[in-house]
Amino acid sequence: MDQQEWERSPLRLNLIEDSVKRAQAGVSKIIYLPQTGSTNQVAVDLLAEGNSEFAVVTDFQSAGKGRLNRIWEASPESSLLISLAFKLNAITNLGWLNLWAATIARRVLMENFNFDITLKWPNDLVVATPDAFLKFGGILSEIHKEHVIFGIGINYSQDHSELPTSISTSIKLQNANFVAREFVIADLISNFHKFWNLDTNCNQFPAKAIMREYQAASYTLGRRVVVTLPSGKEISGIAVALAENGALMVRNEKGEIETITAGDVN
Ligand code: BT5
């Protein structure tokens, strides 16, 4: 690995735009901000001003958001930080939005990089190790009136000392082949657009194929888990399946099935 390749510099918007144009995915607007609070918040503001489908990218967020009011932390120019807005339609299975987005992000990253990615329910991109997992990306899907905003945060070139937890990693730390940040961002934007348009024009969203792809890539299914619900209550058991609405079904110690729509799985 050539260390120089991973050195930090501001995103070159023209490279992203040219690459997205070549992919002909019909993306009209890409907004680049050298820094901002949260790209998802910028997207909310743009929707409120009447914009419909667009991408927001940045090099640094001072108030990056995770789920359930948590924080997404990333040092400047170290990450892929993107928000994409799409119009929802009547067939969208809302419980699957996070899972759909994680599946597409995984697909794109595995086409770009030479390491294996699994998906921790509902929204984490992780690398499985023999007895644990390391998180390097997450999705925050937010519904705003008739739109969904997919916030994508992926650790790209962080070193160990910059990572927020002992169970985090980055693409670079996986000894991945080098692909410039702009090209990975462009590929994510193009493919999210391409597959959103394809998948929302079927008679079911997500298509059965996406559901199968998510399940096959799942780190969680089949494992013994402890789920912490937003209320603080804990459920222990085996993650046995996904419900039609994307919820996680856990067989608890009493043998009963508990269906979980939001929570943290460990
Ligand atoms: C997520 O939340 O994983 C969704 C993260 C989405 C971030 C993107 S960046 C672009 C867009 N704009 C935003 O403002 N947000 C989106 P959650 O599952 O709640 O995970 C958050 C938890 O992950 C935190 O509480 C930390 O423990 C951990 N964490 C924070 N930053 C991390 C990082 N860079 N790498 C790995 N883990 C991290």
Side-chain angles (χ1 to χ4, degrees):
M1 180 176 66
D2 181 351
Q3 284 293 332
Q4 273 183 343
E5 286 178 330
W6 296 91
E7 273 181 8
R8 314 247 162 120
S9 52
L11 285 170
R12 292 156 294 180
L13 178 61
N14 61 323
L15 284 190
I16 301 177
E17 285 176 334
D18 290 350
S19 177
V20 165
K21 220 171 269 163
R22 273 198 303 278
Q24 297 187 318
V27 183
S28 51
K29 203 185 239 176
I30 302 171
I31 293 125
Y32 164 63
L33 301 165
Q35 58 173 300
T36 186
S38 150
T39 53
N40 268 36
Q41 187 54 49
V42 174
V44 169
D45 296 343
L46 287 167
L47 287 172
E49 288 164 17
N51 296 282
S52 184
E53 300 210 343
F54 53 82
V56 183
V57 293
T58 191
D59 277 321
F60 180 69
Q61 299 184 119
S62 54
K65 293 195 285 185
R67 292 177 306 133
L68 310 168
N69 293 322
R70 287 187 293 234
I71 296 171
W72 188 258
E73 283 175 55
S75 25
E77 298 164 4
S78 70
S79 293
L80 318 177
L81 304 167
I82 312 167
S83 291
L84 297 165
F86 295 107
K87 192 138 198 290
L88 290 165
N89 75 11
I91 64 156
T92 314
N93 184 338
L94 300 181
W96 268 86
L97 288 172
N98 255 330
L99 285 61
W100 179 87
T103 308
I104 302 297
R106 171 181 178 271
R107 209 188 262 177
V108 171
L109 295 175
M110 286 197 53
E111 277 164 12
N112 277 275
F113 298 106
N114 56 358
F115 65 97
D116 201 31
I117 299 170
T118 57
L119 300 174
K120 187 165 122 357
W121 187 90
N123 66 326
D124 289 341
L125 295 146
V126 303
V127 176
T129 64
D131 47 9
F133 65 85
L134 296 172
K135 174 168 173 170
F136 72 99
I139 310 279
L140 173 66
S141 307
E142 295 187 293
I143 293 174
H144 184 78
K145 296 185 182 158
E146 295 168 351
H147 289 82
V148 55
I149 299 165
F150 291 119
I152 306 165
I154 294 164
N155 300 335
Y156 174 80
S157 62
Q158 284 100 325
D159 290 317
H160 285 291
S161 59
E162 300 174 87
L163 292 169
T165 70
S166 59
I167 53 161
S168 319
T169 190
S170 68
I171 291 174
K172 178 185 163 191
L173 287 173
Q174 291 306 304
N175 291 322
N177 53 296
F178 176 79
V179 182
R181 209 155 53 106
E182 288 87 347
F183 294 128
V184 191
I185 289 175
D187 215 17
L188 284 162
I189 294 174
S190 306
N191 279 290
F192 266 72
H193 272 260
K194 178 172 143 198
F195 290 112
W196 180 263
N197 291 336
L198 266 177
D199 292 353
T200 55
N201 283 310
C202 301
N203 48 12
Q204 186 193 2
F205 177 95
K208 286 265 187 281
I210 290 271
M211 292 183 171
R212 281 196 297 271
E213 189 173 333
Y214 182 90
Q215 286 171 24
S218 174
Y219 177 83
T220 310
L221 290 174
R223 275 183 203 266
R224 176 162 289 284
V225 293
V226 178
V227 185
T228 310
L229 301 180
S231 64
K233 186 186 162 195
E234 284 194 350
I235 296 170
S236 311
I238 309 275
V240 286
L242 290 178
E244 273 298 298
N245 66 353
L248 187 66
M249 299 169 79
V250 175
R251 187 183 306 114
N252 68 20
E253 312 296 359
K254 292 188 208 146
E256 302 154 345
I257 299 287
E258 306 233 26
T259 302
I260 290 139
T261 51
D264 268 320
V265 181
N266 283 297

